[in-house]
Amino acid sequence: MAINPIAFFVFGGAALAFSMMVVLKKNPVASAFSLVMVFFCFAGIYASMNAHLIAILQILVYAGAIMVLFIFVIMLLNADEPTFDLRRTSNVVKAGAVAFGLAFVVMLAIVFKKSNIIPLNAGFSSEEVIKLGGNSKVLSQLMFSKYILPFELTSVLLLAAIVGAVAMAKRKTGKSS
Amino acid sequence: MELSKIVDPTLLTISAEHVAALRPYLAMFGGALIGIVFACFSLTNRKWLMAGLSIITCLVTGYYSVINMGMAKQVLFSGMMVSDGYSHFFNVLFAFIAALTIFSSFRYLDRENLHYPEYYILLLFSALGMMLLTSALDLIVLFIALEIMSLSVYVLVGFRRADRRSNEASMKYFILGAAASAILLYGSALLYGATGSLNIADIMKMATNTDHGIPMIYTIGSWLVAVGFLFKVASVPFHTWMPDVYEGAPTPITGFMTTGVKAASFATFIRILMSTGFGSEAAGLAGTQVETILWVIAVLTMFIGNVIALTQTQLKRMLAYSSIAHTGYLIVGLLAAPHTDLGYAPVVLYLVTYSIMNLGAFAILTILSGKSDTRLNLSDLSGLSQKHPWIAFALAVFFFSMAGIPPTAGFAAKYYLLYSAVQAKFIWLVVLAVLCSAISVYYYLRVLVQMYMRDPVGSENEGMTPAWSAFVVAMTVALTLQVGLLPSKMVDLSKRVVETLKQ
């Protein structure tokens, strides 16, 4: 399903602008909030491609949960002092980084243009998905049938992460020396 | 509305055979859960309770895996993972590695005041991740299993929180590891975009059956996936994190990482290469130049690892660089495998012997190290043969084995590996590997000279060697010599294991 070009350029352009602000803003909280806006723009693009569930998840998970965590960390660490000063890095490094980034983007653009893709699971075009009852229905059915193993393993991963976080945070550092 | 098109009711049930095939994984996970419950009810004041529980868990896992090794191949969860001889063979190896690590860390944790239940729980979770990694058939499962393994190891590396080096190592490993995971994930996404499937076998089918060549996205995706794995095994352009992490991590964990993480990554690599038909004439991968890239990486890894190891005086760093060099030999084996009738058996054999001798060597370093992992410089070993004759003997066996000198396991494995490379007509690669191996003899023997031909420094006697660690050392020495003297059994086993991969 083709995306409405107006929606694409509005959301895409805004996403680019906010991404620039993430990098250029001096204040870390302002950077973080720009990133939230970037996520909202992505959600807009997803929604205009008929992927409503992913759009909602994008907002809930990224803009909601992950960014709040980011902002907590920024505020807790009191990261007002910039530890990295762009002016001090040499121009060669700066130019190299920009050139490398541009080369990577151009390479990806060429690759995506040149590759003619024939999807294996042809049943999953967006028209087909709508016919089957919409994004969230199809996705949840797949998640609890075909993809049940990755789904359950994710909870194992989270459990391991929680134990790890407890191990890192709980102990008294002064005790052993 | 035709919903049954997506949901196949058989996917929602699980048969008795499937449960039987899953027993090793369930045992390992169950052990970790019981550990968490113990920790919640503060039953962990008795230290041996947690250690005993973890060891029993590993034993049960190993037992079920040995039983399952004879079972027929089963594809589980609609092609998400597979239970075959190969995966269960590696399950035994991981359970073994975890058990020996627990044995050698018991006294270590006492000495460092680090006896926390999380240590054991994370170790079990990490072993579970390794087990799932080698049995994954789907890129999503593979990624999640890799993360279960890595996340636990990140924390274990930084377990000595009061130590600055340990923190630094953990942070470095975490940030670089996260970047590598991101690269791997992006590669998987590109592969999915190119083929429309996440299943490894389906991806290959798609790539070989296309009439108009391989899409470029596929090439880039396979490169990025390879980079993710090459980072985990620390081959040369992605090796810089390794010496610092090895030095900073608690010594038993260094042994666990260098054996477990590496074996798991290589075992998965073999499975992917095998099911993608790497090296065979019809392979779509031929167009992706993976073979050329691996050739260059193998040479660089062997050479740089060995040469830098020459200059190291800190034992853990020296072993880190030697471990990089061993990665190079293993990649030689990967390259040769498709062109010989031996297949991947030499690589599997090499992984097993490498794990045994490294576990032993790190168990000894754990015994010898002072508080906070000091006293691990080369000069601290001088005259060890007079203070601890048996430990010096064991360390000599392991270093002979790593250098590939008969009659040790390292010789048998290296001989078999290079033999397969000669068969595959990679003559230059073999010449370079032997040259690098000759370089490595110098720094291994330097340790022996220090132990046997110098006078002891420091008169204080460190006291008894803890029985738990002595058990590990005795066992690994016995296995090293056993495989070295009578390799045929191990060779047969690895051949049979690789055979099950093909069906």
Side-chain angles (χ1 to χ4, degrees), chain B residues 45 72 106 147 185 207-208 233 268-269 297 326 338 344 393 398 407 498:
Chain B
N45 294 338
F106 192 71
E147 284 302 295
L185 196 59
T208 43
V233 298
T268 315
F269 217 22
I297 284 179
H326 282 286
Y344 289 95
F393 168 74
F398 296 136
V498 173

Side-chain angles (χ1 to χ4, degrees), chain A residues 115 117-118 120 168 170-171, chain B residues 116 159 161 193 195 206 217:
Chain A
S115 304
I117 301 161
I118 328 103
L120 199 66
M168 284 275 97
K170 187 184 80 173
R171 270 175 288 132
Chain B
Y116 298 100
F159 213 77
R161 262 192 63 190
T195 62
M206 191 67 204
I217 295 187

Side-chain angles (χ1 to χ4, degrees), chain B residues 105-372:
Chain B
S105 31
F106 192 71
R107 283 291 161 223
Y108 177 86
L109 293 178
D110 260 358
R111 192 182 65 208
E112 303 282 324
N113 270 330
L114 281 178
H115 233 122
Y116 298 100
E118 290 90 355
Y119 184 89
Y120 298 105
I121 298 168
L122 286 170
L123 210 60
L124 295 183
F125 267 124
S126 182
L128 177 69
M130 290 168 190
M131 289 162 60
L132 288 165
L133 190 58
T134 45
S135 32
L137 277 187
D138 187 277
L139 289 175
I140 296 183
V141 178
L142 197 142
F143 177 75
I144 295 174
L146 186 81
E147 284 302 295
I148 296 177
M149 172 182 88
S150 313
L151 260 181
S152 324
V153 175
Y154 297 146
V155 178
L156 287 172
V157 166
F159 213 77
R160 287 187 298 137
R161 262 192 63 190
D163 188 288
R164 204 184 53 82
R165 278 177 310 158
S166 185
N167 289 335
E168 185 195 328
S170 178
M171 203 64 197
K172 228 175 219 170
Y173 192 31
F174 173 64
I175 291 174
L176 289 176
S181 298
I183 290 173
L184 180 79
L185 196 59
Y186 191 52
S188 314
L190 288 184
L191 285 182
Y192 180 64
T195 62
S197 171
L198 283 164
N199 192 291
I200 297 171
D202 278 353
I203 287 174
M204 192 53 215
K205 226 181 277 162
M206 191 67 204
T208 43
N209 289 351
T210 45
D211 303 323
H212 27 268
I214 305 152
M216 252 163 120
I217 295 187
Y218 182 88
T219 312
I220 306 273
S222 60
W223 284 355
L224 292 181
V225 171
V227 166
F229 274 103
L230 290 175
F231 174 88
K232 278 287 163 211
V233 298
S235 67
V236 147
F238 318 105
H239 70 291
T240 41
W241 57 274
M242 196 186 204
D244 291 338
V245 173
Y246 273 28
E247 193 188 358
T251 316
I253 293 303
T254 316
F256 182 67
M257 278 173 66
T258 185
T259 55
V261 174
K262 188 169 275 187
S265 310
F266 264 108
T268 315
F269 217 22
I270 291 176
R271 189 185 282 287
I272 294 179
L273 291 178
M274 195 87 180
S275 39
T276 50
F278 157 78
S280 56
E281 295 307 317
L285 271 186
T288 61
Q289 306 291 331
V290 167
E291 198 160 62
T292 323
I293 295 172
L294 282 184
W295 203 98
V296 176
I297 284 179
V299 172
L300 283 177
T301 308
M302 288 187 293
F303 194 69
I304 293 181
N306 276 318
V307 168
I308 300 184
L310 286 178
T311 62
Q312 301 299 321
T313 54
Q314 219 270 357
L315 284 172
K316 267 162 115 180
R317 285 187 87 86
M318 193 195 93
L319 281 177
Y321 281 108
S322 104
S323 151
I324 293 172
H326 282 286
T327 301
Y329 304 138
L330 282 163
I331 297 177
V332 172
L334 286 187
L335 278 169
H339 303 291
T340 67
D341 46 341
L342 296 173
Y344 289 95
V347 186
V348 171
L349 178 71
Y350 202 92
L351 276 177
V352 173
T353 52
Y354 170 83
S355 301
I356 294 170
M357 61 204 185
N358 258 284
L359 273 178
F362 277 102
I364 290 180
L365 291 194
T366 313
I367 298 171
L368 293 177
S369 64
K371 209 165 165 60
S372 327

Side-chain angles (χ1 to χ4, degrees), chain A residues 25 37 48-49 51 60 65 91 112 126 130 155 159-160 162 166:
Chain A
K25 278 279 177 191
M37 289 312 293
S48 53
M49 288 170 80
L60 282 181
N91 281 327
F112 281 116
S126 44
I130 291 169
S155 50
L159 191 61
I162 290 170
V166 169

